[in-house]
Amino acid sequence: MPFTHTIGSLRYAFASLRELLAKATPLRSGDVLAGVAAASAEERVAAQYALADVPLAHFLTEAVVPYEDDEVTRLILDRHDAEAFAPVRSMTVGELRDWLLSDEATPERLAALAAGLTPEMAAAVSKLMRLQDLILAAAKIRVVTRFRTTVGLPGRMSARLQPNHPTDDAAGIAASMLDGLLLGSGDAVIGINPAGDSVATTAGLLRLVDAVRTRFQIPTQSCVLAHLTTQMAALEAGAPMDLLFQSIAGTEAANRSFGVNLSLLGEANDAGRSLNRGAVCADGTVGRNVMYFETGQGSALSAGAHHGVDQQTLEARAYGVARAFDPMLVNTVVGFIGPEYLFDGKQITRAGLEDHFCGKLLGLPMGCDVCYTNHAEADQDDMDALLTLLGAAGVNYIMGVPGADDVMLNYQSTSFHDALYVRRVLGLRPAPEFEAWLQGDGFARLALEARSPERLLA
């Protein structure tokens, strides 16, 4: 039976949950490119009304990507927690929205609910929300993770220090690291996107960051964002591996295009944990969150692996993959793929807030690369607005890129100064371990060497 809604004399019908979710999505260029977007604003509103009346329990009986064809669907449904779902089982999508915005949806209840929601449920309710709804609901959710720093605590916002260099030059990377550390970035991770994806390059960059970290006793974690198999080879060769990185998507076929599957992700998670490189926590346990995932709306479509599903629902399904591995960090690289998928600043802003809300609702430690490519209809004013909105929504971390301009990846992001801005205007602070370091001898010794980045390589 199709999902229907009547506006005036027109009756709109949607043949499947997949079609309904796509037609209910606020306008974005990627869904138009895929041929799944609503044909008009009126059809979009009709789909949103119909979606609001869909029982949440229906999402457990109709998969948007067939169970037998896709290991991500099997992961989502096989790991669904019926006990956690019980408090909202009788609700419709619209009723879930109302509850999320009510005082009854406390941080404790939202945390308990996470395992009971499927990504498709999270995507569905986000499609009924305006920006302030996405901010209000997300701000109530805190997802805290630990390795050497504790990220996601209330009143705090971390930053990834991203010291990329177009030739992986050690002196250039060291200069960017120094710049970022002196401006208070790096408490989420010092993460380098390498220009070359070789084991030797990966291992060399890991040793560079680890040498600086240990020399100045910096409480942070490092990551080189090579392919996961390259990182695992570097780990086996004895490189000082903290976090293991991988881009992921919301379908098996899209992940296959990245050269990964769920089995490989699990193998990497186990390998990283076996090193026990995390800091000892107050309760005597070692920081065990070792995975770092990046996602982005449009990745499945760009790989020809979207199965006719809208890009925002597929993005939420990527979070279903991520939460299976208890990651330290997850971030949506929201405007990176380009205007074919998110056309302008308005669409990028909406997508960033959707992604942050859906990820946190599903129990993930969400960050956001507030970014755009130079051929998008967006500019740094748009990024300032999204950055401020995400800060209000309680984002776990953002990017820190020298001058907000990544000279290796050729896109525009947020700078070390942007992190200082949003911390100051919203009264936010770095991770507690990193904040203590900024006030101590390690930072003072680093500052003394600021005039000569080459000394970091000595």
Side-chain angles (χ1 to χ4, degrees):
M1 179 181 295
F3 304 92
T4 64
H5 184 76
T6 300
I7 297 179
S9 61
L10 290 178
R11 179 177 179 270
Y12 291 89
F14 309 95
S16 64
L17 183 61
R18 177 176 60 216
E19 181 185 0
L20 180 63
L21 287 166
K23 296 295 178 67
T25 306
L27 179 64
R28 64 208 57 198
S29 53
D31 291 339
V32 175
L33 178 65
V36 301
S40 66
E42 187 173 72
E43 184 183 26
R44 184 173 300 108
V45 169
Q48 289 170 342
Y49 269 108
L51 181 60
D53 291 334
V54 175
L56 294 176
H58 182 83
F59 288 82
L60 301 177
T61 62
E62 183 180 353
V64 297
V65 181
Y67 182 93
E68 60 275 13
D69 296 340
D70 188 86
E71 67 172 359
V72 175
T73 300
R74 294 192 290 274
L75 174 74
I76 290 167
L77 294 178
D78 292 351
R79 293 203 178 192
H80 180 253
D81 188 328
E83 183 177 351
F85 182 55
V88 299
R89 169 175 284 278
S90 64
M91 291 184 185
T92 63
V93 175
E95 289 169 340
L96 176 62
R97 173 194 174 273
D98 293 343
W99 182 81
L100 289 171
L101 299 175
S102 74
D103 291 339
E104 293 181 14
T106 63
E108 296 75 19
R109 288 177 176 173
L110 289 166
L113 177 63
L117 296 178
T118 68
E120 291 85 352
M121 294 176 194
V125 74
S126 76
K127 297 175 193 295
L128 307 183
M129 301 171 94
R130 53 193 288 195
L131 296 191
Q132 65 175 244
D133 299 339
L134 297 169
I135 294 167
L136 176 61
K140 295 193 278 188
I141 307 170
R142 305 307 310 190
V143 182
V144 179
T145 54
R146 296 178 178 87
F147 192 77
R148 292 193 190 94
T149 56
T150 305
V151 175
L153 292 168
R156 298 183 184 269
M157 187 198 73
S158 297
R160 168 188 162 186
L161 202 173
Q162 185 170 307
N164 296 344
H165 192 278
T167 63
D168 293 329
D169 178 70
I173 289 170
S176 293
M177 285 174 54
L178 179 61
D179 189 17
L181 290 166
L182 291 175
L183 289 169
S185 285
D187 53 331
V189 65
I190 299 176
I192 304 170
N193 297 87
D197 189 51
S198 71
V199 175
T201 296
T202 299
L205 293 176
L206 285 169
R207 293 189 182 98
L208 167 62
V209 179
D210 199 60
V212 174
R213 181 188 66 81
T214 55
R215 180 176 173 186
F216 297 100
Q217 299 178 305
I218 308 170
T220 188
Q221 33 282 332
S222 61
C223 184
V224 173
L225 285 71
H227 190 269
L228 187 59
T229 54
T230 305
Q231 295 169 76
M232 292 174 70
L235 182 156
E236 293 169 2
M241 184 74 64
D242 289 342
L243 305 186
L244 289 118
F245 164 83
Q246 182 56 48
S247 293
I248 56 172
T251 69
E252 178 180 349
N255 284 324
R256 189 184 308 121
S257 76
F258 290 148
V260 298
N261 55 32
L262 298 180
S263 176
L264 181 61
L265 295 175
E267 182 182 346
N269 193 32
D270 292 342
R273 287 182 169 179
S274 71
L275 299 177
N276 290 316
R277 287 177 56 84
V280 178
C281 303
D283 60 3
T285 61
V286 175
R288 301 278 286 168
N289 302 114
V290 301
M291 299 300 289
Y292 174 17
F293 294 121
E294 287 188 345
T295 65
Q297 289 193 28
S299 58
L301 175 59
S302 68
H306 61 102
H307 296 271
V309 182
D310 70 272
Q311 67 184 39
Q312 192 256 332
T313 297
L314 291 178
E315 173 72 4
R317 282 170 54 96
Y319 305 149
V321 173
R323 70 176 174 180
F325 303 101
D326 298 319
M328 176 71 184
L329 306 168
V330 179
N331 74 270
T332 167
V333 192
V334 64
F336 183 75
I337 304 181
E340 299 84 357
Y341 307 95
L342 294 169
F343 179 72
D344 56 14
K346 181 180 177 69
Q347 293 187 10
I348 292 170
T349 297
R350 170 84 198 184
L353 293 170
E354 287 171 346
D355 296 350
H356 176 254
F357 162 76
C358 288
K360 287 178 75 176
L361 186 62
L362 294 168
L364 287 177
M366 287 301 297
C368 183
D369 191 341
V370 181
C371 65
Y372 63 102
T373 58
N374 287 313
H375 61 310
E377 290 294 323
D379 59 28
Q380 213 64 34
D381 285 342
D382 296 309
M383 299 306 102
D384 284 350
L386 177 54
L387 171 63
T388 307
L389 294 174
L390 284 166
V395 71
N396 277 29
Y397 70 104
I398 61 167
M399 303 299 115
V401 177
D405 184 0
D406 193 301
V407 296
M408 196 281 283
L409 294 174
N410 293 307
Y411 78 115
Q412 308 303 309
S413 185
T414 46
S415 71
F416 309 133
H417 293 88
D418 293 332
L420 292 177
Y421 146 74
V422 78
R423 282 173 177 163
R424 177 164 294 185
V425 77
L426 297 177
L428 302 172
R429 297 153 62 192
E433 303 87 350
F434 195 81
E435 183 178 44
W437 176 78
L438 290 170
Q439 299 166 355
D441 292 340
F443 179 80
R445 288 190 292 109
L446 180 72
L448 286 174
E449 303 204 10
R451 287 175 292 180
S452 178
E454 291 80 5
R455 293 180 63 182
L456 295 181
L457 306 178

